[in-house]
Amino acid sequence: SGTRFFEFMQAMLVPTFIAAGCLLLFTLLAFRPRPIVLQPVGGSIQVRWRLFALSACLFIPFIVAADLRHAGWALLAVALLYVAFYRPVLRRLDWPLLLVFLLMFVDLRLVAGLPAVAGWLVHLDLARAGNLYLAGAGLSQFISNVPTTILLYGYSPDWRALAWGVDMGGFGLVVGSLANLIALRLAGSRGSFLTFHAWAAPFLLLAGGLGYAWLVIHGGG
C-alpha cells in the first residue's frame, strides 16, 4: 500500500488495545489467581554451532535469490547442502506442517482467485470500510489471514479497514492464522484443538465485534 511504517503502527493501535483488553479479560476468566511456580528443566541445551553458522550464512543469500525470482534454484542449493552435511535435520522437520503451509498459501489462494469467487466478492460492496472489515475477518477463517489480505486488497484501497479485519481474523478458527497451527503443534496435548476453539471463537466475537463497532462509528464505514 505504500504506507509508512509509523503510520501503519499508529493505525493499528486501536485493534491492538482492543485485543489486549480482551486478552486480559479472558486471562482472568481462564486462570485462578495463584502464584506461578517455575520448575528447572533438567539438562542443558546443546547448540550445534556449525549447523547454526551454516543456516545463518544461507539465510540472507536465500532471501536475495528469492527476491530475484530464483527461489527454486536457491531452495535446491539449500536442500543439497543439508542432504550432504546435515541429513538428520531433514528427517526431523515437521513435514505435515510444511504441507499445511503449502495448502494455505498456494492452493487456497488459487481457489480464492477463481472467477466465481471474484464475482462473489464484487457484490460485497467492499468499498465500505465495515464490509471490508467483515470480509477480511470472515474469509480469514477459511483461507488464513495472509492470503485473505492479498485477495481483498485489489478490491479496495482502504488498507486500514482490511488490516483491522484480517488482524482480528487471526482469532476464531485455527485456520485464521498459521501461528495458531504452530502453537497447537507445539502444545501436542490431547484435547488442545477443542480447548483452543472454546476460547478463540468467543474471543473473535468479542474483540472482532468491538473492532467493527469502533471502525463504523469513527471511520464512517
Side-chain angles (χ1 to χ4, degrees):
S1 65
T3 306
R4 294 183 178 274
F5 175 78
F6 288 105
E7 181 183 357
F8 177 82
M9 295 289 288
Q10 182 180 8
M12 297 302 294
L13 285 177
V14 171
T16 298
F17 282 119
I18 289 176
C22 292
L23 178 61
L24 178 60
L25 172 62
F26 275 55
T27 301
L28 294 174
L29 295 175
F31 299 100
R32 296 178 180 178
R34 57 187 181 185
I36 297 177
V37 179
L38 301 178
Q39 299 291 342
V41 179
S44 59
I45 299 176
Q46 298 296 326
V47 179
R48 301 175 62 181
W49 290 106
R50 290 182 60 186
L51 175 59
F52 173 78
L54 174 64
S55 302
C57 291
L58 290 174
F59 180 71
I60 294 179
F62 180 84
I63 296 298
V64 173
D67 190 57
L68 296 176
R69 302 185 182 276
H70 297 300
W73 290 108
L75 180 61
L76 178 61
V78 171
L80 289 176
L81 284 172
Y82 278 94
V83 168
F85 300 105
Y86 298 102
R87 194 171 303 172
V89 172
L90 298 178
R91 290 198 297 266
R92 292 197 299 267
L93 281 176
D94 193 342
W95 292 104
L97 183 61
L98 290 179
L99 291 177
V100 171
F101 270 64
L102 291 175
L103 174 65
M104 295 177 67
F105 280 98
V106 179
D107 295 347
L108 292 180
R109 175 65 184 88
L110 293 175
V111 171
L114 292 174
V117 177
W120 175 71
L121 290 175
V122 171
H123 294 88
L124 294 182
D125 191 16
L126 297 179
R128 296 177 59 88
N131 291 355
L132 183 60
Y133 175 95
L134 293 176
L139 283 175
S140 295
Q141 306 307 303
F142 302 98
I143 65 173
S144 192
N145 51 8
V146 174
T148 297
T149 305
I150 298 172
L151 171 65
L152 294 182
Y153 185 73
Y155 293 87
S156 173
D158 190 352
W159 61 267
R160 186 186 68 153
L162 177 57
W164 283 29
V166 296
D167 186 47
M168 293 298 182
F171 307 113
L173 299 181
V174 66
V175 179
S177 172
L178 284 175
N180 300 334
L181 291 171
I182 295 173
L184 288 179
R185 294 284 293 183
L186 291 176
S189 59
R190 183 175 299 178
S192 59
F193 184 83
L194 295 177
T195 303
F196 171 84
H197 287 96
W199 290 99
F203 193 99
L204 172 63
L205 294 177
L206 178 60
L210 292 174
Y212 176 78
W214 184 285
L215 183 67
V216 171
I217 293 173
H218 296 275

